[in-house]
Amino acid sequence: MEKRQKFSIWYVLLGIWVVLILQNYLTTMFAIKTIPYSEFLKLLKENKVIEVAISANQIQGKIKDDAAGKEQLFKTVRVDPDTSNLLEQYSVNFKGEIESQFLPTLLSWIVPVVLFFGLWFFLMKRMAGQQPGFMSLGKNKAKIYVQEDIDVNFEDVAGVDEAKQELMEVVEFLSEPGKFTEIGGQIPKGILLVGPPGTGKTMLAKAVAGESGVPFFSMSGSEFVEMFVGLGAARVRDLFEQAKQKAPCIIFIDELDALGKARGFGTVGGHDEREQTLNQLLVEMDGFDPNVGVILLAATNRPEILDPALLRPGRFDRNILVDRPDKKGREEILKVHLKNIKVSKDVDLSVLAGMTPGMVGADLANLVNEAALLAVRRKKKKAGMAEFEEAVERVIAGLEKKNRLINPKEKKIVAYHEMGHAIVALSLPGADPVQKISIIPRGIAALGYTLQTPTEDRFLMTKTELLNKIATLLGGRAAEEIVFEDISTGAHNDLARATDIARSMVKEYGMSAKVGQVYFAREKRNQFLNIPMEGAAEYSEATAELIDNEVREIINTQYAKTREILEQRRDVLDKGAQLLLEKEKIEGTELEILMGETASQSTEGRQQKA
Ligand code: ADP
Ligand code: ZN
């Protein structure tokens, strides 16, 4: 909004300037020389005045120019009330005139003003074309946000195979909506792409449109909100209206969080507009049948602040994670972007991918561009490894200004930490299988994560299972201690969760022999402030101490068990961490294979020794 205002002020200034120039030009065109009265008298006496017209305040007329007797128009302010005698004396043709300067006025003022308004109108129209809704107040033209022939394909988006796979279904549906509805397949209305900026969410949405050959309507969440009150809602209505007419098609809303922030207190006034817009979006989403072939895609990097209403079934009920790419992903993205420039043979993509941990697609696109620019500057025909290495440094320097990248030492700690979790989980019977282990920095999870998926939905958990869960949570810290003989703050969340489980075991599930089969309710929490209420404990000080001791006992026992497991499997720990450092993300199955191999090797070794 602010930007736009500045913009139009410049146009006004430009307009005024044009008026002044034009006026100047027009007056000189008519070339009426203004002379002092004394000069007029002098000319009169020299017989150079041909004819004059006298009005109340001024005298206009023709004089002979000095040169070749050319005639020149002149005017002068009338000083002498009695000019007529004088004029008669020199026999000059003269007449009285009522002061009316219709033509000059018209030319010197009206014409520029008309021109100015013309120019203004023209510019406004152009601006309205660029910025939907500025002049047309909510009545957006279709061409503003619809793109019909998208030339982005899934091939152009690399390193996000899982997201692509999930979106394949949408492509199938959009290509042949009839086929799906016949079978009665359930197509999601809204899909939310979640991931950090620059990971290719917009590209993915476009690629879905490109692959299925349908129109692509796009709008950014912030665009909806910066308008006048009521306009955002009108735009949402308009957008859906147009999309339905063009179905099958895709609507893409970028920065959904700008529009869909949770409604709540603390937003006294001022945010009515956003709320109205959000409500309209919810109404529209509920009001359409996905079988008409309109699919809503949205992107956000802050899913946690979205209004829960947006995430309910029938709205954006499907989430697709578009996280930072791992090493292999980065290699593939580089490959895509290298198609556009000339590269010499010495460029090793896997080395480059290894040098760029934490970078997203947009950073890598930038990197390739930098390398190409450097090659041009060095008057090379092709970009070589030297250019790429320097480009990496430049891009990293740029990123470091924005947010710090993880350093190699930290990366190693994180690798061992995550491997610790995973190995413990795989060594304990009945623990949930490990699906993925990742140390991609600055991903959706803070540092790294080990993803465990339960094999089945559980309603009951046994004591052993709970203890194993605690052990798994402690695995990270234990691995750090064993390998580095030092511990880091990275386990803070693990410890909180492990302690929580242990405390529940003691206080709620009656799983501690010393405390007994008793239920001690957790402290009551103040409903509004979410802080413990004073004097709410329902047990004596002595019991409280006993509970604390038991919790500590459980944790300590499990920690000792965890250390033992990891010390026994130190070789797997090292090899796994190494693999993880190399690939940044490994599948649980890969680790299982590694564990199997090293297990049989070590038994073989023992057998040989024996
Ligand atoms: P987002 O919407 O997630 O912020 P964009 O889709 O706008 O990211 O990506 C910005 C640019 O970065 C793209 O135009 C593209 O050049 C590059 N890019 C991002 N992710 C990828 C990817 N996975 N594969 C190829 N290029 C990518
Ligand atoms: Zn951990």
Side-chain angles (χ1 to χ4, degrees):
M1 201 79 198
E2 218 174 340
K3 215 171 164 188
R4 195 166 304 143
Q5 260 165 10
K6 261 190 223 146
F7 215 48
S8 55
I9 281 171
W10 282 113
Y11 280 122
V12 169
L13 288 177
L14 181 74
I16 289 171
W17 181 69
V18 167
V19 168
L20 291 177
I21 295 270
L22 269 176
Q23 210 195 351
N24 206 352
Y25 175 72
L26 283 170
T27 40
T28 49
M29 196 171 75
F30 282 84
I32 300 175
K33 204 160 131 194
T34 307
I35 56 173
Y37 192 70
S38 60
E39 167 126 22
F40 164 68
L41 288 180
K42 193 174 142 239
L43 287 167
L44 190 65
K45 282 170 192 158
E46 286 169 13
N47 257 327
K48 282 193 175 157
V49 178
I50 304 165
E51 59 172 17
V52 293
I54 306 168
S55 60
N57 296 318
Q58 82 176 11
I59 298 171
Q60 279 194 45
K62 275 187 210 155
I63 45 170
K64 269 186 230 146
D65 214 5
D66 281 340
K70 254 184 15 193
E71 287 177 1
Q72 162 79 48
L73 292 173
F74 82 96
K75 70 177 175 194
T76 182
V77 177
R78 183 175 170 181
V79 178
D80 207 338
D82 195 25
T83 344
S84 52
N85 282 341
L86 215 64
L87 288 167
E88 214 166 10
Q89 201 181 322
Y90 291 96
S91 59
V92 176
N93 220 344
F94 69 93
K95 62 178 183 199
E97 198 169 67
I98 296 164
E99 219 155 310
S100 145
Q101 299 192 314
F102 179 69
L103 198 68
T105 314
L106 182 82
L107 288 174
S108 71
W109 279 105
I110 314 264
V111 169
V113 166
V114 166
L115 267 170
F116 171 58
F117 272 102
L119 188 71
W120 188 64
F121 224 77
F122 169 73
L123 289 171
M124 277 302 158
K125 255 189 125 146
R126 276 192 45 178
M127 270 167 67
Q130 286 160 359
Q131 282 151 336
F134 184 57
M135 287 295 278
S136 51
L137 289 177
K139 285 212 176 71
N140 304 293
K141 318 265 171 326
K143 62 172 191 285
I144 293 162
Y145 31 57
V146 67
Q147 274 175 278
E148 303 262 356
D149 298 308
I150 301 274
D151 56 355
V152 180
N153 283 315
F154 274 157
E155 269 174 36
D156 304 321
V157 203
V160 283
D161 295 337
E162 283 158 53
K164 274 197 248 179
Q165 222 147 37
E166 294 209 40
L167 289 168
M168 257 338 270
E169 190 193 17
V170 178
V171 172
E172 264 171 53
F173 167 72
L174 287 173
S175 323
E176 276 179 279
K179 205 173 100 190
F180 255 79
T181 41
E182 240 169 62
I183 309 169
Q186 194 60 48
I187 274 298
K189 269 187 194 178
I191 298 173
L192 190 59
L193 302 171
V194 178
T199 44
K201 298 182 292 297
T202 310
M203 271 191 106
L204 270 173
K206 273 196 182 164
V208 172
E211 290 278 336
S212 24
V214 301
F216 180 73
F217 288 82
S218 73
M219 200 138 199
S220 165
S222 56
E223 275 178 84
F224 281 117
V225 204
E226 61 180 355
M227 292 283 124
F228 313 98
V229 171
L231 205 57
R235 289 177 148 208
V236 172
R237 214 175 303 130
D238 214 50
L239 179 65
F240 277 82
E241 197 97 338
Q242 288 179 26
K244 275 182 224 164
Q245 281 165 15
K246 293 244 175 192
C249 68
I250 283 183
I251 300 179
F252 176 64
I253 303 179
D254 204 356
E255 298 176 61
L256 183 66
D257 41 285
L259 157 69
K261 246 180 264 171
R263 295 164 288 191
F265 336 96
T267 53
V268 187
H271 288 287
D272 277 3
E273 167 57 4
R274 206 191 62 225
E275 262 179 47
Q276 269 190 29
T277 311
L278 174 57
N279 284 337
Q280 186 64 39
L281 179 66
L282 295 175
V283 168
E284 294 290 345
M285 283 195 81
D286 292 343
F288 82 86
D289 176 3
N291 289 338
V292 299
V294 178
I295 301 243
L296 202 57
L297 293 178
T300 180
N301 55 344
R302 303 164 74 194
E304 69 284 353
I305 66 164
L306 287 181
D307 196 301
L310 271 172
L311 306 176
R312 281 204 197 113
R315 292 172 184 163
F316 289 103
D317 50 4
R318 202 182 285 188
N319 287 5
I320 296 182
L321 181 65
V322 190
D323 209 346
R324 286 172 197 276
D326 58 1
K327 192 171 162 222
K328 195 163 138 280
R330 291 197 299 273
E331 198 175 324
E332 279 160 20
I333 295 173
L334 283 169
K335 215 177 278 167
V336 169
H337 287 281
L338 283 186
K339 277 185 205 149
N340 306 325
I341 69 163
K342 289 207 179 79
V343 186
S344 66
K345 287 209 178 65
D346 66 328
V347 174
D348 187 338
L349 288 187
S350 76
V351 172
L352 277 180
M355 288 166 75
T356 52
M359 285 195 192
V360 294
D363 301 330
L364 294 169
N366 186 12
L367 170 86
V368 171
N369 192 40
E370 282 278 344
L373 287 178
L374 279 170
V376 171
R377 210 170 300 155
R378 292 173 184 170
K379 301 199 169 54
K380 286 192 178 176
K381 291 235 166 57
K382 292 173 173 177
M385 200 59 181
E387 280 76 38
F388 275 98
E389 274 164 10
E390 194 172 331
V392 169
E393 272 164 35
R394 286 179 182 219
V395 174
I396 287 181
L399 289 175
E400 265 170 357
K401 267 186 218 145
K402 274 188 265 169
N403 37 21
R404 64 184 256 293
L405 290 173
I406 198 161
N407 70 37
K409 166 86 181 156
E410 284 172 319
K411 205 170 152 187
K412 199 168 165 196
I413 296 178
V414 177
Y416 272 101
H417 178 108
E418 296 305 329
M419 207 32 82
H421 286 306
I423 291 174
V424 174
L426 287 176
S427 309
L428 292 168
D432 292 329
V434 175
Q435 205 191 11
K436 244 184 222 122
I437 312 151
S438 154
I439 55 161
I440 298 168
R442 297 187 297 140
I444 281 290
L447 286 168
Y449 61 86
T450 304
L451 197 64
Q452 282 178 283
T453 40
T455 25
E456 55 205 306
D457 283 342
R458 300 297 301 270
F459 297 106
L460 291 174
M461 288 191 84
T462 64
K463 185 174 170 184
T464 319
E465 280 165 343
L466 287 173
L467 290 176
N468 286 349
K469 230 186 168 82
I470 294 175
T472 305
L473 283 167
L474 296 172
R477 160 64 54 98
E480 284 181 43
E481 202 183 0
I482 291 170
V483 178
F484 302 101
E485 286 167 356
D486 195 1
I487 46 184
S488 77
T489 52
H492 147 262
N493 186 39
D494 301 334
L495 295 185
R497 280 168 61 200
T499 313
D500 245 18
I501 297 175
R503 196 167 281 276
S504 298
M505 286 174 73
V506 177
K507 285 169 70 180
E508 293 171 43
Y509 311 141
M511 286 178 178
S512 145
K514 282 197 193 129
V515 174
Q517 321 280 348
V518 199
Y519 176 86
F520 295 112
R522 332 196 92 196
E523 324 114 300
K524 288 208 177 89
R525 290 197 161 250
N526 183 306
Q527 205 182 338
F528 299 107
L529 300 174
N530 195 29
I531 51 168
M533 286 201 304
E534 250 176 82
E538 292 166 5
Y539 38 82
S540 67
E541 294 260 325
T543 314
E545 206 181 319
L546 188 62
I547 292 174
D548 286 344
N549 286 338
E550 277 298 280
V551 170
R552 200 165 297 129
E553 178 67 27
I554 292 178
I555 300 275
N556 287 346
T557 316
Q558 292 313 305
Y559 190 70
K561 188 164 103 191
T562 306
R563 267 201 74 129
E564 201 186 335
I565 294 173
L566 289 175
E567 268 161 3
Q568 270 174 12
R569 317 230 57 175
R570 177 65 201 260
D571 46 349
V572 189
L573 185 60
D574 286 333
K575 278 188 192 152
Q578 207 49 49
L579 190 66
L580 195 51
L581 278 170
E582 249 164 57
K583 294 177 70 177
E584 292 177 7
K585 190 157 116 186
I586 62 176
E587 303 291 320
T589 45
E590 287 178 80
L591 180 61
E592 275 173 55
I593 293 169
L594 195 66
M595 282 180 83
E597 277 171 7
T598 40
S600 54
Q601 267 172 18
S602 51
T603 42
E604 265 167 38
R606 241 172 270 142
Q607 274 165 355
Q608 273 170 7
K609 258 183 231 154

